[in-house]
Amino acid sequence: MVVYLVGAGPGDPDLITLKAIKTLQKADVVVYDRLANEEILKYASGAARIYVGKRAGAHSKKQDEINQILIEQGKKYDNVVRLKGGDPFVFGRGGEEMLALLEEGIPVEVIPGVTSAIGVPTSSGLPVTHRGVATSFTVVTGHEDPTKNEKQVQWNYNADTLVILMGVGHLEENIQKIMEHKDPQTPVCVIEKGTTPDERMVLGTLENIAQKDITPPALVIIGPVVDVYQSLQSKKR
């Protein structure tokens, strides 16, 4: 018995890895998320499917319930795939699931995926680093666990590029805190439904981005690389 924690990539089903496809093809059961494109499930045509999708304010299963499902399936089947959007270990709670499984003596193998933090801006033509402009980037969650006694995200990052995942629900609040450390005129790009046919780019600055019409799922890129993106786009016209 093995439970595979598999990254499905940022949205476009063609961006899943070959190793992930091979693992899905031998799966007995697939436990999958909302952000894992359902087209990918065609590679596991012979497997049972269990949906445990989560989104802010509407969780079909709590994390403890998901852990228990994985434990039960891991003890029942030889090959269980836990299919997660992006990469299992980039805000995917893969570490928690792995720990729960190992504590039950269930072997785990992690298959990385293309994280949306890089895959989405890259596929849109927005480089998160660029020589002479940005030599560093930070990836941060915009939605911390509300049960925490103290916030870990302080928003005083010195990286040239800041990428925020799961940040739409608290965008205005987070942007206000970021402006305590960055110029309000710092360029911002929000990418909705990245790498999919419904992708949408919203451009602005720290000062005005929260007033724009934005719907999740989306990620936020902050920094001068947004100007680089606009320059590149202008040369394509």
Side-chain angles (χ1 to χ4, degrees):
M1 59 181 180
V2 180
V3 174
Y4 298 89
L5 303 181
V6 178
D12 181 347
D14 288 341
L15 293 178
I16 192 169
T17 66
L18 182 58
K19 187 170 185 179
I21 290 172
K22 290 179 177 178
T23 304
L24 283 165
Q25 288 172 335
K26 66 180 182 181
D28 298 306
V29 60
V30 179
V31 182
Y32 67 103
D33 273 349
R34 180 179 71 96
L35 293 179
N37 193 313
E38 290 198 30
E39 285 188 39
I40 292 170
L41 295 175
K42 68 184 179 183
Y43 298 114
S45 58
R49 301 178 184 182
I50 301 175
Y51 176 69
V52 293
K54 297 191 294 181
R55 60 184 175 86
H59 292 191
S60 66
K61 298 289 183 183
K62 294 181 180 179
Q63 189 60 50
D64 287 345
E65 293 178 287
I66 295 172
N67 293 350
Q68 191 57 42
I69 288 170
L70 293 175
I71 291 167
E72 291 171 357
Q73 299 303 312
K75 291 179 177 179
K76 184 177 180 181
Y77 292 107
D78 291 332
N79 297 291
V80 177
V81 170
R82 171 68 169 113
L83 187 63
K84 308 171 77 68
D87 181 273
F89 282 178
V90 181
F91 303 125
R93 304 188 78 163
E96 296 173 49
E97 294 173 356
M98 185 174 186
L99 181 60
L101 289 160
L102 292 176
E103 286 177 344
E104 292 289 327
I106 299 171
V108 180
E109 182 176 336
V110 183
I111 298 176
V114 178
T115 171
S116 61
I118 302 172
V120 167
T122 296
S123 69
S124 301
L126 196 162
V128 294
T129 64
H130 190 80
R131 188 172 65 168
V133 176
T135 59
S136 60
F137 66 94
T138 291
V139 181
V140 61
T141 178
H143 182 80
E144 287 192 82
D145 183 348
T147 64
K148 286 181 181 178
N149 294 324
E150 185 177 344
K151 298 290 186 183
Q152 291 177 260
V153 178
Q154 300 300 315
W155 300 111
N156 57 346
Y157 302 104
N158 292 321
D160 298 314
T161 305
L162 184 61
V163 181
I164 306 174
L165 304 185
M166 303 175 292
V168 175
H170 297 275
L171 184 60
E172 185 171 5
E173 173 190 347
N174 293 340
I175 290 294
Q176 288 298 322
K177 292 177 180 177
I178 294 169
M179 283 195 291
E180 295 176 9
H181 308 283
K182 292 186 180 293
D183 187 335
Q185 295 306 310
T186 302
V188 180
C189 178
V190 178
I191 307 177
E192 298 178 358
K193 299 180 176 63
T195 77
T196 75
D198 297 322
E199 179 175 292
R200 176 172 172 260
M201 312 281 285
V202 181
L203 296 166
T205 64
L206 285 175
E207 191 171 50
N208 64 27
I209 194 66
Q211 281 70 57
K212 295 181 182 288
D213 180 25
I214 298 168
T215 57
L219 59 76
V220 183
I221 302 105
I222 299 169
V225 290
V226 176
D227 288 337
V228 174
Y229 163 75
Q230 294 194 78
S231 176
L232 292 171
Q233 293 303 303
S234 67
K235 295 183 186 303
K236 290 168 64 175
R237 298 190 185 105

